[in-house]
Amino acid sequence: MATIGKLQIDNPVCLAPMAGFSTVPYRVICRTFGSSFAPTELCSARSIRYRGTGPSYQYLRIDPAREGLCAIQLFGFDPVDFEYAIGAILDDELLSQTDMIDINMGCPVPKVVKTGAGSALMKDPETAGKIVRAAVKSACGKPVTVKTRIGFDKGARGDPEFIKVLADSGCDMICVHGRSAAAMYSGQADIDAVAVMGKAAKEAGVTFFANGDICDGASAQLMKEKTFADGLMVGRAAQGNPWVFEKIRSEMEGKVFTEPSLEERKKMLIEHLKEEVELAPSEDAAVRAMRSVFVFYVKGMPGAAGLKDRLCRALTVAEVEDILWN
Ligand SMILES: Cc1cc2nc3c(=O)[nH]c(=O)nc-3n(C[C@H](O)[C@H](O)[C@H](O)COP(=O)(O)O)c2cc1C
């Protein structure tokens, strides 16, 4: 059990936000396997400020009835953008039902970093603090959370001062990914550096989530025990693999987990795809958008390379079904 502001989270293992993967259908699927909540992928506060929520709706969309707890993730560099963006979210009938606002302070992508957003905020704690305060002021009592990293530069070993700034600014939960921004996704997550930040969060009285390379019960247990984590986020191990949440929970309880069969994986891919079609502007748009996801579902299947190739040329659900089953 963990708390984020006034929210109670029973099984605090959740799907990490992943651009291109954390869609409503996938968040709902992961929830059925035990992900307690899942933030949306990052969405630009500046874009919402100047263009409204409309152009970003596909990224901001939530489904409170099926998702349970919802969190919308924003990125940006200007505290005022967050005030406007959160105001626009709270003015929207559906989006205003989000339970939390999450702020991205970890994105290492150059396009984001060069604007001073994402992980660049770790180098500018003053602005980071102002952004959290602006978000808290605008969020009408909804918890404000931050997802960040162990530091910006190569060799970073955790930044407790940054945690203190976020905590002092009113942040309700901080999630730390155990890599520096410079490392992007390479190398192993540095659990000791996550622990440095977890300890600082505990001292500041802020709920702490840990993230990085969690893929089974053992890695989850290790991360939880070493980092003072109240909760865990799982990213890449959940790509095309919603069963990972069940696996983590079972193995942490000392139970044996049976991996899904080939048939179950194919069925899940189709179920996922059909749900995406429901929300997409057209069937082929949904099938195209799922191409990067198919790759993960078929990983390890017999003839995976050929399957991937054919799936990446499909344009309809029927074609995908045909490729998978024939
Ligand atoms: C394809 C992809 C997209 C991502 N998009 C986001 C994002 O939108 N917001 C965010 O905070 N982190 C994003 N991340 C980072 C993940 O949330 C997570 O911190 C990272 O993958 C490390 O966790 P893992 O080792 O469990 O994958 C992304 C990661 C990947 C692989």
PDB file of all heavy atoms in Angstrom, residues 16-19 21 41-42 73 104 147 177 179 185 211-214 234-236 239, ligand 1:
ATOM      1  N   ALA A  16       5.088   2.139 -16.367  1.00  0.00           N
ATOM      2  CA  ALA A  16       5.770   3.431 -16.547  1.00  0.00           C
ATOM      3  C   ALA A  16       5.254   4.097 -17.820  1.00  0.00           C
ATOM      4  O   ALA A  16       4.886   3.401 -18.773  1.00  0.00           O
ATOM      5  CB  ALA A  16       7.276   3.189 -16.654  1.00  0.00           C
ATOM      6  N   PRO A  17       5.230   5.424 -17.837  1.00  0.00           N
ATOM      7  CA  PRO A  17       4.785   6.086 -19.074  1.00  0.00           C
ATOM      8  C   PRO A  17       5.762   5.816 -20.204  1.00  0.00           C
ATOM      9  O   PRO A  17       6.975   5.941 -20.020  1.00  0.00           O
ATOM     10  CB  PRO A  17       4.778   7.576 -18.690  1.00  0.00           C
ATOM     11  CG  PRO A  17       5.696   7.687 -17.508  1.00  0.00           C
ATOM     12  CD  PRO A  17       5.637   6.369 -16.795  1.00  0.00           C
ATOM     13  N   MET A  18       5.224   5.438 -21.357  1.00  0.00           N
ATOM     14  CA  MET A  18       6.094   5.190 -22.521  1.00  0.00           C
ATOM     15  C   MET A  18       5.406   5.720 -23.770  1.00  0.00           C
ATOM     16  O   MET A  18       4.339   5.220 -24.161  1.00  0.00           O
ATOM     17  CB  MET A  18       6.383   3.698 -22.678  1.00  0.00           C
ATOM     18  CG  MET A  18       7.423   3.191 -21.699  1.00  0.00           C
ATOM     19  SD  MET A  18       7.871   1.474 -22.025  1.00  0.00           S
ATOM     20  CE  MET A  18       6.409   0.635 -21.481  1.00  0.00           C
ATOM     21  N   ALA A  19       6.031   6.719 -24.382  1.00  0.00           N
ATOM     22  CA  ALA A  19       5.482   7.297 -25.605  1.00  0.00           C
ATOM     23  C   ALA A  19       5.335   6.198 -26.655  1.00  0.00           C
ATOM     24  O   ALA A  19       6.250   5.399 -26.852  1.00  0.00           O
ATOM     25  CB  ALA A  19       6.414   8.403 -26.106  1.00  0.00           C
ATOM     26  N   PHE A  21       3.422   3.663 -26.454  1.00  0.00           N
ATOM     27  CA  PHE A  21       2.977   2.396 -25.856  1.00  0.00           C
ATOM     28  C   PHE A  21       1.874   2.591 -24.811  1.00  0.00           C
ATOM     29  O   PHE A  21       0.983   1.768 -24.688  1.00  0.00           O
ATOM     30  CB  PHE A  21       4.157   1.672 -25.187  1.00  0.00           C
ATOM     31  CG  PHE A  21       5.148   1.153 -26.182  1.00  0.00           C
ATOM     32  CD1 PHE A  21       6.158   1.978 -26.662  1.00  0.00           C
ATOM     33  CD2 PHE A  21       5.048  -0.135 -26.675  1.00  0.00           C
ATOM     34  CE1 PHE A  21       7.063   1.514 -27.610  1.00  0.00           C
ATOM     35  CE2 PHE A  21       5.951  -0.606 -27.624  1.00  0.00           C
ATOM     36  CZ  PHE A  21       6.960   0.220 -28.093  1.00  0.00           C
ATOM     37  N   GLU A  41       1.520   9.065 -21.730  1.00  0.00           N
ATOM     38  CA  GLU A  41       2.835   9.461 -22.212  1.00  0.00           C
ATOM     39  C   GLU A  41       2.971  10.976 -22.086  1.00  0.00           C
ATOM     40  O   GLU A  41       1.980  11.688 -21.855  1.00  0.00           O
ATOM     41  CB  GLU A  41       3.058   9.017 -23.656  1.00  0.00           C
ATOM     42  CG  GLU A  41       2.194   9.693 -24.677  1.00  0.00           C
ATOM     43  CD  GLU A  41       2.598   9.284 -26.102  1.00  0.00           C
ATOM     44  OE1 GLU A  41       2.294   8.166 -26.526  1.00  0.00           O
ATOM     45  OE2 GLU A  41       3.231  10.103 -26.776  1.00  0.00           O
ATOM     46  N   LEU A  42       4.180  11.468 -22.235  1.00  0.00           N
ATOM     47  CA  LEU A  42       4.422  12.907 -22.037  1.00  0.00           C
ATOM     48  C   LEU A  42       3.691  13.768 -23.080  1.00  0.00           C
ATOM     49  O   LEU A  42       3.561  13.374 -24.225  1.00  0.00           O
ATOM     50  CB  LEU A  42       5.924  13.210 -22.051  1.00  0.00           C
ATOM     51  CG  LEU A  42       6.707  13.304 -23.356  1.00  0.00           C
ATOM     52  CD1 LEU A  42       8.144  13.654 -23.053  1.00  0.00           C
ATOM     53  CD2 LEU A  42       6.624  12.071 -24.196  1.00  0.00           C
ATOM     54  N   GLN A  73       0.597  13.015 -17.856  1.00  0.00           N
ATOM     55  CA  GLN A  73       1.980  13.507 -17.752  1.00  0.00           C
ATOM     56  C   GLN A  73       2.214  14.682 -18.706  1.00  0.00           C
ATOM     57  O   GLN A  73       1.899  14.600 -19.896  1.00  0.00           O
ATOM     58  CB  GLN A  73       2.995  12.412 -18.064  1.00  0.00           C
ATOM     59  CG  GLN A  73       4.416  12.899 -17.757  1.00  0.00           C
ATOM     60  CD  GLN A  73       5.517  11.920 -18.132  1.00  0.00           C
ATOM     61  OE1 GLN A  73       5.820  11.731 -19.293  1.00  0.00           O
ATOM     62  NE2 GLN A  73       6.134  11.325 -17.125  1.00  0.00           N
ATOM     63  N   ASN A 104       7.110  15.483 -16.250  1.00  0.00           N
ATOM     64  CA  ASN A 104       8.279  14.781 -16.768  1.00  0.00           C
ATOM     65  C   ASN A 104       9.532  15.627 -16.556  1.00  0.00           C
ATOM     66  O   ASN A 104       9.657  16.713 -17.121  1.00  0.00           O
ATOM     67  CB  ASN A 104       8.077  14.479 -18.259  1.00  0.00           C
ATOM     68  CG  ASN A 104       9.237  13.715 -18.841  1.00  0.00           C
ATOM     69  OD1 ASN A 104      10.393  14.112 -18.701  1.00  0.00           O
ATOM     70  ND2 ASN A 104       8.944  12.609 -19.499  1.00  0.00           N
ATOM     71  N   LYS A 147       8.392  12.603 -12.430  1.00  0.00           N
ATOM     72  CA  LYS A 147       9.226  11.450 -12.812  1.00  0.00           C
ATOM     73  C   LYS A 147      10.559  11.982 -13.327  1.00  0.00           C
ATOM     74  O   LYS A 147      10.598  12.833 -14.212  1.00  0.00           O
ATOM     75  CB  LYS A 147       8.520  10.621 -13.878  1.00  0.00           C
ATOM     76  CG  LYS A 147       9.302   9.374 -14.259  1.00  0.00           C
ATOM     77  CD  LYS A 147       8.394   8.331 -14.855  1.00  0.00           C
ATOM     78  CE  LYS A 147       9.193   7.172 -15.419  1.00  0.00           C
ATOM     79  NZ  LYS A 147       9.967   7.587 -16.627  1.00  0.00           N
ATOM     80  N   HIS A 177      14.048   7.023 -12.221  1.00  0.00           N
ATOM     81  CA  HIS A 177      14.605   6.006 -13.125  1.00  0.00           C
ATOM     82  C   HIS A 177      16.119   5.976 -12.890  1.00  0.00           C
ATOM     83  O   HIS A 177      16.771   7.022 -12.955  1.00  0.00           O
ATOM     84  CB  HIS A 177      14.233   6.401 -14.574  1.00  0.00           C
ATOM     85  CG  HIS A 177      14.952   5.612 -15.615  1.00  0.00           C
ATOM     86  ND1 HIS A 177      15.037   6.033 -16.923  1.00  0.00           N
ATOM     87  CD2 HIS A 177      15.619   4.429 -15.563  1.00  0.00           C
ATOM     88  CE1 HIS A 177      15.717   5.139 -17.625  1.00  0.00           C
ATOM     89  NE2 HIS A 177      16.085   4.166 -16.829  1.00  0.00           N
ATOM     90  N   ARG A 179      18.899   5.727 -14.246  1.00  0.00           N
ATOM     91  CA  ARG A 179      19.948   6.059 -15.226  1.00  0.00           C
ATOM     92  C   ARG A 179      20.058   7.574 -15.322  1.00  0.00           C
ATOM     93  O   ARG A 179      19.080   8.286 -15.084  1.00  0.00           O
ATOM     94  CB  ARG A 179      19.605   5.513 -16.624  1.00  0.00           C
ATOM     95  CG  ARG A 179      19.714   4.029 -16.754  1.00  0.00           C
ATOM     96  CD  ARG A 179      19.439   3.563 -18.180  1.00  0.00           C
ATOM     97  NE  ARG A 179      19.561   2.112 -18.253  1.00  0.00           N
ATOM     98  CZ  ARG A 179      18.598   1.267 -17.870  1.00  0.00           C
ATOM     99  NH1 ARG A 179      17.441   1.723 -17.440  1.00  0.00           N
ATOM    100  NH2 ARG A 179      18.802  -0.032 -17.930  1.00  0.00           N
ATOM    101  N   TYR A 185      19.027   5.018 -22.291  1.00  0.00           N
ATOM    102  CA  TYR A 185      18.508   3.721 -21.825  1.00  0.00           C
ATOM    103  C   TYR A 185      19.610   2.661 -21.794  1.00  0.00           C
ATOM    104  O   TYR A 185      19.333   1.481 -21.662  1.00  0.00           O
ATOM    105  CB  TYR A 185      17.347   3.259 -22.727  1.00  0.00           C
ATOM    106  CG  TYR A 185      16.199   4.231 -22.656  1.00  0.00           C
ATOM    107  CD1 TYR A 185      16.028   5.205 -23.620  1.00  0.00           C
ATOM    108  CD2 TYR A 185      15.315   4.199 -21.579  1.00  0.00           C
ATOM    109  CE1 TYR A 185      15.002   6.135 -23.521  1.00  0.00           C
ATOM    110  CE2 TYR A 185      14.288   5.113 -21.468  1.00  0.00           C
ATOM    111  CZ  TYR A 185      14.139   6.084 -22.442  1.00  0.00           C
ATOM    112  OH  TYR A 185      13.127   6.986 -22.331  1.00  0.00           O
ATOM    113  N   ASN A 211      12.313   2.956 -10.469  1.00  0.00           N
ATOM    114  CA  ASN A 211      12.128   2.468 -11.839  1.00  0.00           C
ATOM    115  C   ASN A 211      13.485   2.169 -12.477  1.00  0.00           C
ATOM    116  O   ASN A 211      14.461   2.859 -12.222  1.00  0.00           O
ATOM    117  CB  ASN A 211      11.351   3.557 -12.610  1.00  0.00           C
ATOM    118  CG  ASN A 211      11.392   3.386 -14.121  1.00  0.00           C
ATOM    119  OD1 ASN A 211      11.924   4.237 -14.820  1.00  0.00           O
ATOM    120  ND2 ASN A 211      10.843   2.316 -14.622  1.00  0.00           N
ATOM    121  N   GLY A 212      13.493   1.141 -13.299  1.00  0.00           N
ATOM    122  CA  GLY A 212      14.703   0.803 -14.056  1.00  0.00           C
ATOM    123  C   GLY A 212      14.991  -0.683 -14.020  1.00  0.00           C
ATOM    124  O   GLY A 212      15.308  -1.229 -12.955  1.00  0.00           O
ATOM    125  N   ASP A 213      14.824  -1.331 -15.166  1.00  0.00           N
ATOM    126  CA  ASP A 213      15.184  -2.742 -15.348  1.00  0.00           C
ATOM    127  C   ASP A 213      14.375  -3.715 -14.497  1.00  0.00           C
ATOM    128  O   ASP A 213      14.842  -4.835 -14.246  1.00  0.00           O
ATOM    129  CB  ASP A 213      16.685  -2.962 -15.062  1.00  0.00           C
ATOM    130  CG  ASP A 213      17.582  -2.210 -16.026  1.00  0.00           C
ATOM    131  OD1 ASP A 213      17.081  -1.733 -17.059  1.00  0.00           O
ATOM    132  OD2 ASP A 213      18.788  -2.094 -15.741  1.00  0.00           O
ATOM    133  N   ILE A 214      13.194  -3.333 -14.044  1.00  0.00           N
ATOM    134  CA  ILE A 214      12.382  -4.288 -13.272  1.00  0.00           C
ATOM    135  C   ILE A 214      11.633  -5.175 -14.271  1.00  0.00           C
ATOM    136  O   ILE A 214      10.951  -4.675 -15.161  1.00  0.00           O
ATOM    137  CB  ILE A 214      11.392  -3.547 -12.341  1.00  0.00           C
ATOM    138  CG1 ILE A 214      12.165  -2.709 -11.324  1.00  0.00           C
ATOM    139  CG2 ILE A 214      10.461  -4.540 -11.641  1.00  0.00           C
ATOM    140  CD1 ILE A 214      11.323  -1.705 -10.579  1.00  0.00           C
ATOM    141  N   VAL A 234       7.266  -0.127 -14.060  1.00  0.00           N
ATOM    142  CA  VAL A 234       7.853  -1.077 -15.013  1.00  0.00           C
ATOM    143  C   VAL A 234       7.658  -0.543 -16.425  1.00  0.00           C
ATOM    144  O   VAL A 234       6.528  -0.275 -16.836  1.00  0.00           O
ATOM    145  CB  VAL A 234       7.158  -2.452 -14.881  1.00  0.00           C
ATOM    146  CG1 VAL A 234       7.773  -3.457 -15.867  1.00  0.00           C
ATOM    147  CG2 VAL A 234       7.225  -2.966 -13.457  1.00  0.00           C
ATOM    148  N   GLY A 235       8.758  -0.381 -17.133  1.00  0.00           N
ATOM    149  CA  GLY A 235       8.681   0.151 -18.492  1.00  0.00           C
ATOM    150  C   GLY A 235       8.838  -0.926 -19.544  1.00  0.00           C
ATOM    151  O   GLY A 235       7.911  -1.662 -19.874  1.00  0.00           O
ATOM    152  N   ARG A 236      10.057  -1.059 -20.065  1.00  0.00           N
ATOM    153  CA  ARG A 236      10.272  -1.901 -21.238  1.00  0.00           C
ATOM    154  C   ARG A 236       9.873  -3.353 -21.066  1.00  0.00           C
ATOM    155  O   ARG A 236       9.456  -3.990 -22.036  1.00  0.00           O
ATOM    156  CB  ARG A 236      11.737  -1.784 -21.691  1.00  0.00           C
ATOM    157  CG  ARG A 236      12.013  -0.395 -22.302  1.00  0.00           C
ATOM    158  CD  ARG A 236      13.473  -0.087 -22.353  1.00  0.00           C
ATOM    159  NE  ARG A 236      14.040  -0.099 -20.997  1.00  0.00           N
ATOM    160  CZ  ARG A 236      15.314  -0.048 -20.724  1.00  0.00           C
ATOM    161  NH1 ARG A 236      16.184   0.003 -21.705  1.00  0.00           N
ATOM    162  NH2 ARG A 236      15.741  -0.056 -19.473  1.00  0.00           N
ATOM    163  N   GLN A 239       6.503  -3.984 -22.477  1.00  0.00           N
ATOM    164  CA  GLN A 239       6.179  -3.754 -23.901  1.00  0.00           C
ATOM    165  C   GLN A 239       5.739  -5.070 -24.524  1.00  0.00           C
ATOM    166  O   GLN A 239       6.517  -6.043 -24.566  1.00  0.00           O
ATOM    167  CB  GLN A 239       7.402  -3.195 -24.646  1.00  0.00           C
ATOM    168  CG  GLN A 239       7.693  -1.744 -24.298  1.00  0.00           C
ATOM    169  CD  GLN A 239       9.022  -1.251 -24.877  1.00  0.00           C
ATOM    170  OE1 GLN A 239      10.042  -1.948 -24.802  1.00  0.00           O
ATOM    171  NE2 GLN A 239       9.013  -0.068 -25.441  1.00  0.00           N
TER     172      GLN A 239
HETATM  173  C1  LIG B   1       9.703   3.832 -25.884  1.00  0.00           C
HETATM  174  C2  LIG B   1       9.817   4.563 -24.576  1.00  0.00           C
HETATM  175  C3  LIG B   1       9.071   5.706 -24.367  1.00  0.00           C
HETATM  176  C4  LIG B   1       9.161   6.404 -23.139  1.00  0.00           C
HETATM  177  N1  LIG B   1       8.367   7.491 -22.949  1.00  0.00           N
HETATM  178  C5  LIG B   1       8.359   8.094 -21.718  1.00  0.00           C
HETATM  179  C6  LIG B   1       7.434   9.153 -21.439  1.00  0.00           C
HETATM  180  O1  LIG B   1       6.607   9.547 -22.279  1.00  0.00           O
HETATM  181  N2  LIG B   1       7.501   9.711 -20.199  1.00  0.00           N
HETATM  182  C7  LIG B   1       8.377   9.282 -19.240  1.00  0.00           C
HETATM  183  O2  LIG B   1       8.387   9.813 -18.129  1.00  0.00           O
HETATM  184  N3  LIG B   1       9.246   8.288 -19.487  1.00  0.00           N
HETATM  185  C8  LIG B   1       9.235   7.673 -20.686  1.00  0.00           C
HETATM  186  N4  LIG B   1      10.059   6.605 -20.908  1.00  0.00           N
HETATM  187  C9  LIG B   1      10.917   6.093 -19.811  1.00  0.00           C
HETATM  188  C10 LIG B   1      10.217   4.964 -19.040  1.00  0.00           C
HETATM  189  O3  LIG B   1       9.075   5.455 -18.373  1.00  0.00           O
HETATM  190  C11 LIG B   1      11.174   4.345 -18.005  1.00  0.00           C
HETATM  191  O4  LIG B   1      11.574   5.332 -17.113  1.00  0.00           O
HETATM  192  C12 LIG B   1      12.402   3.706 -18.634  1.00  0.00           C
HETATM  193  O5  LIG B   1      12.056   2.910 -19.739  1.00  0.00           O
HETATM  194  C13 LIG B   1      13.176   2.873 -17.610  1.00  0.00           C
HETATM  195  O6  LIG B   1      12.380   1.846 -17.097  1.00  0.00           O
HETATM  196  P1  LIG B   1      12.555   0.323 -17.626  1.00  0.00           P
HETATM  197  O7  LIG B   1      13.994  -0.056 -17.387  1.00  0.00           O
HETATM  198  O8  LIG B   1      11.582  -0.462 -16.788  1.00  0.00           O
HETATM  199  O9  LIG B   1      12.215   0.328 -19.068  1.00  0.00           O
HETATM  200  C14 LIG B   1      10.020   5.930 -22.118  1.00  0.00           C
HETATM  201  C15 LIG B   1      10.775   4.777 -22.347  1.00  0.00           C
HETATM  202  C16 LIG B   1      10.683   4.086 -23.544  1.00  0.00           C
HETATM  203  C17 LIG B   1      11.490   2.840 -23.744  1.00  0.00           C
END
